[in-house]
Amino acid sequence: KQAAAEATAQKKQLAEERKQAAAEAAAQKRQAVAEAAAQKKQLEEERKQAAADGATQKKQLEVDRKQAAAEAAAKKQQLEEERKQVADQKRQEAEQRKIEIA
């Protein structure tokens, strides 16, 4: 009779320990899932920030490119004007020499 009572008590204890272990495992799993979700959220925020920084950098590069293109166009225009002035000056000098010769 006592052996049966002890066996029953032992079964109850094992069942309780199993329940406890299962509860701890479930808690650990929930914790791991929560940590993974938090990490995923953090990485998503970092990705968004990097994308925003990249977009800002891309915009800045586009502005710089446009500015450089505008400066190059202005420089080209200036050189073209100077070339025209030199050509006009040479033409005027040539006409002046023709008049002097004539």
Side-chain angles (χ1 to χ4, degrees):
K1 206 175 183 181
Q2 190 170 347
E6 283 175 10
T8 303
Q10 202 172 12
K11 271 188 195 172
K12 278 184 184 175
Q13 188 178 352
L14 284 172
E16 193 59 41
E17 286 172 7
R18 266 200 307 273
K19 236 196 300 186
Q20 186 68 32
E24 285 173 12
Q28 284 176 350
K29 186 178 177 184
R30 278 194 302 274
Q31 179 69 28
V33 167
E35 285 173 5
Q39 191 173 15
K40 186 177 176 184
K41 192 174 180 182
Q42 174 72 27
L43 287 171
E44 182 62 18
E45 285 302 314
E46 287 174 12
R47 188 195 64 74
K48 282 181 185 174
Q49 186 61 47
D53 291 349
T56 301
Q57 195 172 14
K58 189 175 175 184
K59 279 183 191 165
Q60 185 59 51
L61 287 172
E62 183 63 18
V63 166
D64 291 350
R65 188 193 63 74
K66 284 181 180 174
Q67 190 173 355
E71 288 170 5
K75 184 75 171 168
K76 187 176 175 184
Q77 185 71 33
Q78 183 184 355
L79 289 172
E80 184 63 22
E81 289 297 321
E82 288 173 7
R83 190 192 62 74
K84 282 182 185 174
Q85 284 177 351
V86 169
D88 285 349
Q89 192 175 352
K90 284 185 180 176
R91 191 171 32 79
Q92 286 174 356
E93 288 172 0
E95 286 176 9
Q96 190 69 36
R97 278 195 301 273
K98 281 182 192 173
I99 293 170
E100 287 171 0
I101 292 169

